[in-house]
Amino acid sequence: DAGVTQSPTHLIKTRGQQVTLRCSPISGHKSVSWYQQVLGQGPQFIFQYYEKEERGRGNFPDRFSARQFPNYSSELNVNALLLGDSALYLCASSPPTGNYGYTFGSGTRLTVV
Amino acid sequence: DQQVKQNSPSLSVQEGRISILNCDYTNSMFDYFLWYKKYPAEGPTFLISISSIKDKNEDGRFTVFLNKSAKHLSLHIVPSQPGDSAVYFCAASDEGNKLVFGAGTILRVKS
């Protein structure tokens, strides 16, 4: 049974560019959340989507956007990249019921140069 | 505004002994608390959780204690094993749509 899959695993971009990160949740999970983990810190909440609707948004600028598709996969887009956007981006999925059963993917390591 | 704090960046424990990882929080609206373990190049893996209506939850070698009046929780690992060496994150939630994480504690279990 496949877990949460994220692509790509690593990415190097230049300042000012745009990036799209992808996530496929566990089969049957309808909720997807995105987190940013900067080195030395814990993951920080960016977005949550449930049934293609945005359910929550963290304290991130409008350069960050996301969407969820009918098959419950999700994309995170970041525009006008800054050096400070360099981080591990984690996707987590959770089942439709139950309490906080988040399963995380291995993440996408984004480096902005 | 750090709502969840793990004040010990690292902890070193001898194999077979108890590991105690601590976490403090400031938001009294948090109603669910979780511990995650993270190895390098992997995502966080769920370990154990506790609802705010309980003060203890046990799962094998792992026990989480919650002291609501002190806004403090701790994770006990007994006995500690070398494979437990990882970064441990404390997380909390108040509405079910997001987790607030601490900065993590690096646990090293020496054999």
Side-chain angles (χ1 to χ4, degrees):
Chain A
D1 197 16
V4 178
T5 57
Q6 292 187 243
S7 63
T9 54
H10 295 85
L11 203 51
I12 299 176
K13 288 286 190 179
T14 304
R15 275 178 297 175
Q17 285 189 315
Q18 176 264 342
V19 68
T20 298
L21 310 181
R22 295 176 176 83
C23 172
S24 293
I26 291 173
S27 177
H29 285 195
K30 299 182 178 181
S31 175
V32 169
S33 300
W34 288 94
Y35 288 80
Q36 179 196 65
Q37 187 183 7
V38 173
L39 196 63
Q41 298 180 21
Q44 188 172 358
F45 174 75
I46 310 175
F47 285 110
Q48 187 194 47
Y49 276 79
Y50 178 75
E51 290 278 15
K52 295 162 284 181
E53 299 278 331
E54 182 182 303
R55 282 291 184 90
R57 184 185 182 115
N59 188 22
F60 280 81
D62 291 344
R63 299 185 296 108
F64 288 76
S65 63
R67 55 180 175 168
Q68 187 176 32
F69 298 98
N71 66 353
Y72 304 111
S73 67
S74 177
E75 286 182 352
L76 175 70
N77 295 284
V78 187
N79 294 321
L81 285 167
L82 304 174
L83 295 180
D85 295 330
S86 295
L88 179 67
Y89 288 85
L90 295 162
C91 174
S93 74
S94 57
T97 58
N99 47 7
Y100 314 92
Y102 297 96
T103 301
F104 283 85
S106 296
T108 294
R109 171 70 63 186
L110 172 65
T111 302
V112 182
V113 297
Chain B
D1 177 24
Q2 258 191 306
Q3 297 186 68
V4 177
K5 297 181 183 180
Q6 294 177 255
N7 292 318
S8 298
S10 65
L11 174 68
S12 187
V13 171
Q14 199 68 34
E15 180 180 7
R17 299 290 188 105
I18 184 171
S19 295
I20 300 176
L21 296 99
N22 294 303
C23 178
D24 297 297
Y25 63 95
T26 57
N27 187 344
S28 58
M29 297 303 292
F30 286 145
D31 61 359
Y32 209 77
F33 303 89
L34 307 91
W35 285 93
Y36 280 85
K37 178 169 75 171
K38 188 178 184 301
Y39 295 117
E42 295 183 12
T45 302
F46 170 75
L47 262 181
I48 191 169
S49 62
I50 187 167
S51 165
S52 61
I53 62 173
K54 297 187 175 181
D55 56 17
K56 177 182 174 181
N57 188 26
E58 199 170 347
D59 184 2
R61 297 186 298 116
F62 303 91
T63 303
V64 56
F65 296 92
L66 175 63
N67 183 333
K68 282 185 65 178
S69 61
K71 293 190 175 70
H72 176 83
L73 64 155
S74 60
L75 174 68
H76 293 209
I77 306 174
V78 182
S80 301
Q81 300 173 354
D84 295 330
S85 297
V87 180
Y88 288 77
F89 291 102
C90 170
S93 181
D94 58 2
E95 293 175 2
N97 68 340
K98 73 174 185 181
L99 295 177
V100 180
F101 284 85
T105 296
I106 300 170
L107 173 65
R108 296 187 186 91
V109 180
K110 298 176 290 186
S111 55

